[in-house]
Amino acid sequence: MSQENQQYHPETNAIRTRAAQTQHMEHSSPVFLTSSFTFDNAEDMRAAFADETDANIYSRFSNPTVDEFAARLASLEGAETGFATSSGMSAIFASFMAFLKAGDHLVSCSSIFGSTHTVITKFLPKWGIEYTYFDINSPASLEAAIRPNTRMVFLETPSNPGLDVIDLTYVAEVCKRKNVILNVDNCFATPALQKPILQGADIVTHSATKWIDGQGRVLGGAIVGRAELIKEVHTFCRSTGPAMSPFNAWVLSKSLETLHVRMARHSSTALSLAGALQSNDKLEWVKYPMLESHPQYTIAKKQMTAGGGILCFEIKGGLEKGRKFLDALQMCSLTANLGDSRTIVSHPSSTTHAKLSEEERLKVGITPGLIRISCGLEHPEDIKNDIEQALQKA
Ligand SMILES: *Cc1c(COP(=O)(O)O)cnc(C)c1O
């Protein structure tokens, strides 16, 4: 990987970090769609298998296109190195499997992505890994949740879908003192807006499917951090096989070149929409990290350079009104994804969280009329008009 001059700004490194040019002198990085790599002789092949060289052997272990994506992301996060996986969930799962064993304990909170919650509560206990959830809105409860056998703290900030924010330097200080690995899912903010490693996190996990792709095309994930930690992740992944496809890596690597520009626009659209909706009488409340009314506004201001593309609000009239609102939208998409160039609206109570009881939903912060908006790149006026007309009709 030619890591071009690290004195450049992150925006520049995201564009200029690239796989070595081939003899064709191509300007844009090619896709290395190959399952394996050849050797000139038995000695070179022996040395590669003995880890004496870093030659590529097989694309489940490493691939130049996949490594370019991981190196770009690591550079943006301020991490030493990274490993890319087939999806965000395989990245999160690998980050657990590489560091946790039977008898260990994981601390997390209920304000996390649904599938992550399933892995922690349904699968980790099958292998003897226990967990405790602390309340992300009372950070002091973190320390009380840590036990002598706690090995890792895993959290999201801002969280999905509640947009709760927690002070990363505080959490990192507690983890350091207790000798616990801090693992942060930085999916919502992306390194364009927040860099948990620089605030003291040990590893950062990503769903690249969301804002990093940013156009709703491919699945991907990544884990970045110090070299000695990523080595453990690589050892687990090279044998268990959650490798990222080189094609997806090529798409995602190109996407990183525009990440900063896109996140600035997503964030400014979301901030102005959140501001406008605050006075809408069809709503109980509006939540966005950079609104002064957000309970952790000061922390968001301190650790994020902008609020990101997601906002949420509670529609008056609960579940039924939420469904009517979705039906009244003319432009915004109803789909399970987020972080797209197209604005996406979702109503967790009637869709992703419909199988839970109302009481269970409330426990994870899903109120009956909660609507989550993932602001796209359409003209901000068109997004605002569609949402306001649908609220009027609901
Ligand atoms: C979507 C998402 C994931 C899972 O990523 P996939 O790429 O869908 O596997 C993990 N964390 C958060 C916060 C997400 O939004």
Side-chain angles (χ1 to χ4, degrees), residues 18 20-27 30 32:
R18 57 164 301 170
Q21 235 173 3
T22 73
Q23 76 274 24
H24 299 296
M25 302 297 282
E26 68 282 352
H27 188 206
F32 288 95

Side-chain angles (χ1 to χ4, degrees), residues 87-90 92 113 116 156 160 185 187-188 206-210 219-221 338:
S87 68
M89 283 322 302
S90 58
I92 291 168
F113 184 64
T116 312
E156 291 172 21
N160 181 9
D185 179 340
C187 173
F188 265 36
H206 266 289
S207 168
T209 316
K210 311 292 171 54
L219 296 184
L338 64 90

Side-chain angles (χ1 to χ4, degrees), residues 218-261:
V218 300
L219 296 184
I223 306 145
V224 303
R226 291 192 299 284
E228 91 246 20
L229 296 176
I230 300 306
K231 189 161 180 287
E232 298 296 317
V233 170
H234 183 245
T235 302
F236 174 76
C237 290
R238 65 180 269 157
S239 296
T240 54
M244 174 180 275
S245 140
F247 177 75
N248 288 9
W250 179 79
V251 170
L252 294 166
S253 194
K254 282 279 156 204
S255 294
L256 285 179
E257 297 184 4
T258 57
L259 183 70
H260 288 82
V261 180

Side-chain angles (χ1 to χ4, degrees), residues 75-117:
S75 139
L76 288 182
E77 289 281 5
E80 265 173 34
T81 185
F83 186 80
T85 60
S86 56
S87 68
M89 283 322 302
S90 58
I92 291 168
F93 185 62
S95 77
F96 293 162
M97 288 295 106
F99 301 107
L100 303 175
K101 60 178 191 312
D104 284 348
H105 177 248
L106 171 79
V107 170
S108 190
C109 39
S110 57
S111 310
I112 49 169
F113 184 64
S115 298
T116 312
H117 170 73

Side-chain angles (χ1 to χ4, degrees), residues 17 20 52 69 75 84 100 106 141 148 165 191 198 244 261-263 289 291 331 342 348:
T17 301
E52 289 168 17
F69 167 69
S75 139
L100 303 175
L106 171 79
S141 65
V165 170
L198 303 187
M244 174 180 275
V261 180
R262 290 185 286 109
M263 291 314 291
L291 283 184
M331 180 190 80
R342 287 153 287 204

